[in-house]
C-alpha cells in the first residue's frame, strides 16, 4: 500500500478508535459518519496525508486495507440481531433510491410488485402533508424525513458536547485540533442521530424483509443497513459504478454486495471479506445495452449534426478534468488526417464542452441518453469511467486515456495496449483501429477477454437481482 493511502486508512481507523465513545443508542457515530466528507477540501489534511511518516504519528495505524475492513466487519457483526427480533418473512422490500442507485425506471415496474415493495427516500424539502410524491416508479414512497425528530434536541446537544470534550482531550493528535474538521463533525452529528431515529421509526411502522441500497458510503444507507442487521433483516448493496477507486468501496457493510464480476469478488477477498457476502449479478442499468435503439441511425446523425458518411468516435470526458490531454488527443487525431465524426459525451446535465468550441468539427452529445448514442458510434475513447464498461457491453471497441490516481485499482489494465497514459500514442492506436484490420481484431479480442472477468453474467441482471432478494427473504442465502 502506497504512503498516501496507508496514511488515509490509518487516519480513518484512528478516528474510529479515538472517537468510539461518541455513541447514540448503541451506535458508534464514527462508524456512521462519512469520513471522506469530513476531510474533503481540507488543505491541512491533504498536506499531512502526503507526508512519508504521517501514520507513525498516530496512536492507531494500519498497514493494509484488510485491517480497516476487519474493524468494520467486527462492528457490523456486533449489531446482527442485537434486539433478537423475529425475522419478518412476508414483509416488504425497501428500496433506498438516491442519485447513484441507477435502476432504470422500467425495471421497478417489471421486478417489484406494488404490494410487496416500497421506495425509501430522505427528502427534507417536502412537507409531511404533501401528497404529490406518494408514488414513484409505480411504487409507494416513504420519506424518512417525515418522521418526527424534534424530541431529541437534548440528546443531540449532549453528543455534540461529548465530541467537543474529545477534541480537547486528544491533544496528542494535532489533526483533531483542525477547526474545519471539528466544525464538520459537530454539524454531521445531528444528521446522523436524527436519521437513526427516523430509520428506527420506519422499521417500527413498516414490516420489512429486505433492504436494497446503492452504497454503504452514504450515512443514510449505512444506517438503513445497520438497523436492518439489528432486526435480522438482510440488506443488499448494488455496485454503483466500476471499482476504480478503493475509497468508494471500502468498507463493505451490507449483508450482500451485489457486484459486476469476478474482479470485485477477488478484490474484496483480498480484504478478508467472506465470499458468501458477495454475489455476481451485474446491474439492471446495463441491461439497457441489449435493447434495440430508440432512433434510427439517420435520425441520430440529423439530431446531432453529424456526417452520415463518416465513422463516429464518442469521447467520454468529465468536465474540464485533463482537458490538456484531451486537447492533445484531438490535435493528434486531426494531424493523422483521420476523417471521422467526434462526439463528446460529458457528465449528464452539463453544457457543451469547451473543446466543441475550440474544434468546430467536434460535436456535443447534448442531453442524449447514453443508450441512445451507443448503437450509432463505432468506437469509444474514455477516461477510467463506468461508461467505458457500458460501451463494451454494447459491443463497442473502447480505448482508455489512463489518468491513474493514488488509489486507482487498475480496473482497466487488462485491456493492455488499449490503455495509454500518453494521449498522442492513444490517438495513433485509435487511428490504427480505423485503418488496420489487425487492430479491429485485437480490440475485439481484448474486449471479450476483459468482459469474461469483469462482467461474466450474460443474462438479464434485473432477474438475477430479484432472485437474490427472494433468496435472502426466504432465508435460503445466509452469508453470516
Amino acid at each position: 500500500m502506497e504512503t498516501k493511502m496507508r496514511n488515509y486508512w490509518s487516519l480513518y481507523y484512528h478516528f474510529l478508535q479515538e472517537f468510539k465513545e461518541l455513541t447514540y443508542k448503541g451506535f458508534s457515530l464514527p462508524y456512521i459518519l462519512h469520513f471522506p466528507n469530513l476531510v474533503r477540501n481540507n488543505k491541512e489534511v491533504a498536506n499531512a496525508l502526503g507526508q512519508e511518516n504521517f501514520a507513525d504519528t498516530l496512536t492507531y495505524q494500519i498497514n493494509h486495507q484488510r485491517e480497516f475492513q476487519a474493524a468494520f466487519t467486527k462492528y457490523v457483526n456486533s449489531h446482527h440481531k442485537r434486539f433478537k427480533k423475529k425475522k419478518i418473512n412476508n414483509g416488504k422490500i425497501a428500496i433506498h433510491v438516491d442519485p447513484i442507485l441507477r435502476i432504470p425506471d422500467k425495471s421497478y415496474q417489471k421486478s417489484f410488485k406494488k404490494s410487496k415493495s416500497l421506495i425509501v427516500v430522505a427528502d427534507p424539502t417536502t412537507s409531511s402533508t404533501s401528497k404529490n410524491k406518494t408514488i414513484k416508479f409505480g411504487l409507494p414512497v416513504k420519506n424518512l424525513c417525515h418522521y418526527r425528530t424534534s424530541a431529541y434536541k437534548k440528546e443531540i446537544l449532549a453528543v455534540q458536547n461529548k465530541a467537543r470534550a474529545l477534541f480537547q482531550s486528544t491533544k496528542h493528535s494535532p489533526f483533531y485540533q483542525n477547526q474545519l474538521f471539528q466544525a464538520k463533525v459537530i454539524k454531521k452529528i445531528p444528521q446522523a442521530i436524527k436519521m437513526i431515529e427516523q430509520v428506527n421509526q420506519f422499521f417500527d411502522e413498516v414490516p420489512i424483509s429486505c433492504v436494497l441500497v446503492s452504497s454503504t458510503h452514504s450515512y443514510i444507507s449505512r444506517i438503513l443497513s445497520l438497523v436492518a442487521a439489528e432486526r435480522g433483516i438482510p440488506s443488499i448493496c448494488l455496485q454503483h459504478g466500476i471499482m476504480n477507486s478503493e475509497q468508494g468501496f471500502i468498507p463493505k457493510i451490507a449483508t450482500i454486495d451485489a457486484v459486476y464480476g469476478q474482479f470485485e469478488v477477488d478484490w474484496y477477498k483480498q480484504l478478508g471479506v467472506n465470499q458468501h457476502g458477495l454475489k455476481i449479478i451485474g446491474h439492471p442499468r446495463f441491461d439497457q445495452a441489449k435493447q434495440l435503439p430508440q432512433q434510427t441511425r439517420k435520425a441520430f446523425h440529423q439530431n446531432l449534426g453529424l456526417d452520415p458518411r463518416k465513422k463516429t468516435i464518442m469521447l467520454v470526458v468529465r468536465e474540464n478534468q485533463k482537458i490538456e490531454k484531451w486537447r492533445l488527443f484531438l490535435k493528434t487525431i486531426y494531424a493523422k488526417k483521420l476523417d471521422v465524426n467526434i462526439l463528446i459525451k460529458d457528465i449528464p446535465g452539463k453544457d457543451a464542452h469547451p473543446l466543441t468550441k475550440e474544434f468546430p468539427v467536434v460535436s456535443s452529445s447534448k442531453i442524449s441518453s447514453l443508450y441512445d448514442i451507443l448503437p450509432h458510434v463505432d468506437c469509444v475513447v474514455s477516461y477510467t469511467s463506468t461508461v467505458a464498461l457500458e460501451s463494451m457491453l454494447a459491443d463497442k471497441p473502447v480505448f482508455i486515456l489512463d489518468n491513474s490516481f493514488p488509489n486507482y485499482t487498475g480496473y482497466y489494465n487488462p485491456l493492455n495496449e488499449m490503455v495509454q497514459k500518453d494521449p498522442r500514442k492513444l490517438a495513433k492506436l485509435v487511428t490504427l483501429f480505423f485503418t488496420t484490420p489487425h487492430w479491429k481484431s485485437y480490440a475485439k479480442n481484448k474486449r471479450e477477454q476483459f468482459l469474461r472477468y469483469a462482467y461474466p453474467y450474460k443474462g438479464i441482471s434485473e432477474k438475477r437481482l430479484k432472485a437474490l432478494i427472494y433468496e435472502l427473504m426466504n432465508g435460503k442465502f445466509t452469508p453470516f
Side-chain angles (χ1 to χ4, degrees):
M1 182 165 51
E2 61 182 60
T3 299
K4 190 169 185 178
M5 294 316 300
R6 176 175 178 259
N7 287 340
Y8 173 82
W9 292 118
S10 291
L11 182 60
Y12 196 163
Y13 182 71
H14 189 266
F15 177 63
L16 297 179
Q17 301 303 321
E18 289 265 300
F19 286 80
K20 62 185 176 185
E21 296 175 15
L22 202 63
T23 62
Y24 181 76
K25 291 193 175 179
F27 289 97
S28 179
L29 296 186
Y31 285 88
I32 287 174
L33 300 179
H34 185 217
F35 187 74
N37 182 270
L38 298 178
V39 298
R40 187 173 294 136
N41 301 323
N42 192 319
K43 291 181 180 178
E44 185 178 331
V45 176
N47 291 336
L49 292 179
Q51 295 170 11
E52 186 70 30
N53 300 317
F54 173 73
D56 297 334
T57 68
L58 303 174
T59 309
Y60 305 93
Q61 53 188 275
I62 60 172
N63 293 307
H64 194 280
Q65 297 91 327
R66 73 171 70 91
E67 299 168 57
F68 179 81
Q69 177 60 51
F72 260 90
T73 300
K74 182 179 178 181
Y75 177 75
V76 173
N77 287 341
S78 73
H79 282 272
H80 282 156
K81 297 187 180 179
R82 188 162 68 99
F83 294 138
K84 299 187 184 327
K85 292 194 176 184
K86 185 179 178 182
K87 184 176 176 180
I88 301 167
N89 292 320
N90 59 347
K92 293 180 180 290
I93 303 163
I95 309 163
H96 179 217
V97 174
D98 63 7
I100 61 172
L101 186 63
R102 299 189 179 108
I103 294 177
D105 294 3
K106 291 180 181 177
S107 293
Y108 289 102
Q109 299 165 20
K110 289 165 65 177
S111 296
F112 302 102
K113 292 181 180 178
K114 188 175 180 180
S115 61
K116 292 288 185 181
S117 314
L118 57 83
I119 299 292
V120 179
V121 297
D123 183 2
T125 63
T126 62
S127 163
S128 58
T129 58
S130 172
K131 299 294 180 186
N132 6 344
K133 289 196 176 179
T134 53
I135 297 290
K136 189 180 180 74
F137 308 126
L139 299 175
V141 176
K142 275 288 180 183
N143 189 343
L144 296 173
C145 294
H146 288 174
Y147 291 100
R148 294 174 65 87
T149 58
S150 56
Y152 303 100
K153 290 180 181 177
K154 289 183 179 178
E155 288 89 341
I156 290 170
L157 184 60
V159 177
Q160 286 178 317
N161 287 336
K162 180 71 178 287
R164 292 185 181 99
L166 285 169
F167 287 138
Q168 296 306 312
S169 68
T170 53
K171 292 180 180 177
H172 57 286
S173 304
F175 165 74
Y176 296 121
Q177 305 310 311
N178 181 281
Q179 294 299 309
L180 179 58
F181 179 81
Q182 290 187 9
K184 285 188 175 183
V185 171
I186 296 300
K187 181 181 178 181
K188 297 297 180 183
I189 286 171
Q191 296 176 1
I193 290 176
K194 288 178 181 179
M195 189 53 59
I196 290 169
E197 291 294 345
Q198 288 166 330
V199 169
N200 270 299
Q201 290 176 52
F202 165 66
F203 280 116
D204 286 342
E205 179 188 353
V206 185
I208 300 296
S209 289
C210 187
V211 174
L212 180 64
V213 300
S214 65
S215 165
T216 46
H217 236 35
S218 149
Y219 77 99
I220 300 170
S221 290
R222 194 169 285 192
I223 292 169
L224 278 165
S225 301
L226 288 169
V227 173
E230 288 193 328
R231 296 165 183 250
I233 300 168
S235 56
I236 299 172
C237 179
L238 270 183
Q239 186 174 338
H240 60 275
I242 63 158
M243 192 175 278
N244 65 350
S245 163
E246 62 185 51
Q247 287 166 290
F249 295 91
I250 306 175
K252 178 196 177 301
I253 291 176
T255 310
I256 297 287
D257 269 38
V259 298
Y260 295 169
Q262 193 62 38
F263 177 92
E264 291 81 11
V265 172
D266 292 344
W267 190 80
Y268 273 123
K269 283 169 67 177
Q270 288 178 0
L271 299 182
V273 171
N274 192 315
Q275 187 167 344
H276 292 300
L278 304 164
K279 185 78 169 179
I280 296 174
I281 73 161
H283 195 292
R285 70 187 274 201
F286 301 143
D287 292 342
Q288 298 172 93
K290 302 176 179 69
Q291 296 173 359
L292 293 173
Q294 297 297 304
Q295 60 180 330
T296 65
R297 198 173 184 86
K298 181 178 179 182
F300 170 77
H301 284 107
Q302 287 178 340
N303 291 340
L304 296 179
L306 304 176
D307 189 335
R309 297 166 298 180
K310 297 178 181 179
K311 300 287 188 182
T312 300
I313 297 173
M314 181 173 76
L315 221 60
V316 183
V317 303
R318 189 173 181 84
E319 299 178 306
N320 289 339
Q321 292 180 20
K322 310 297 179 183
I323 192 168
E324 287 300 329
K325 286 195 170 187
W326 287 118
R327 181 177 287 115
L328 191 52
F329 172 85
L330 289 170
K331 285 181 177 178
T332 308
I333 285 287
Y334 290 118
K336 293 288 179 184
K337 296 183 168 40
L338 186 63
D339 192 17
V340 292
N341 296 313
I342 296 183
L343 187 65
I344 288 188
K345 175 71 175 161
D346 201 350
I347 60 175
K350 292 296 177 183
D351 296 329
H353 195 272
L355 290 175
T356 60
K357 297 175 183 176
E358 195 173 326
F359 296 85
V361 289
V362 175
S363 304
S364 169
S365 66
K366 300 178 182 176
I367 58 171
S368 300
S369 160
L370 174 66
Y371 289 101
D372 288 337
I373 299 171
L374 279 176
H376 307 299
V377 302
D378 302 283
C379 175
V380 175
V381 183
S382 175
Y383 68 101
T384 52
S385 161
T386 303
V387 176
L389 173 62
E390 292 178 273
S391 301
M392 282 187 270
L393 290 170
D395 291 330
K396 301 299 172 182
V398 172
F399 292 81
I400 303 290
L401 180 59
D402 181 12
N403 298 316
S404 295
F405 38 91
N407 57 342
Y408 179 52
T409 61
Y411 184 80
Y412 286 116
N413 289 355
L415 290 172
N416 298 121
E417 278 195 84
M418 299 179 74
V419 180
Q420 295 291 337
K421 293 182 184 297
D422 185 343
R424 291 164 297 190
K425 186 168 184 180
L426 189 68
K428 291 173 184 175
L429 295 179
V430 171
T431 303
L432 284 173
F433 168 78
F434 281 102
T435 57
T436 310
H438 161 73
W439 259 93
K440 279 188 170 58
S441 176
Y442 178 84
K444 182 176 184 291
N445 290 336
K446 280 297 170 189
R447 180 175 75 250
E448 291 173 350
Q449 288 174 16
F450 178 84
L451 291 177
R452 279 196 290 272
Y453 183 63
Y455 203 91
Y457 183 62
K458 301 301 181 187
I460 302 298
S461 295
E462 183 183 286
K463 294 179 180 178
R464 199 163 172 88
L465 172 60
K466 187 176 178 180
L468 174 60
I469 289 171
Y470 284 100
E471 265 188 291
L472 284 169
M473 288 173 68
N474 294 327
K476 295 177 180 177
F477 196 102
T478 51
F480 306 125

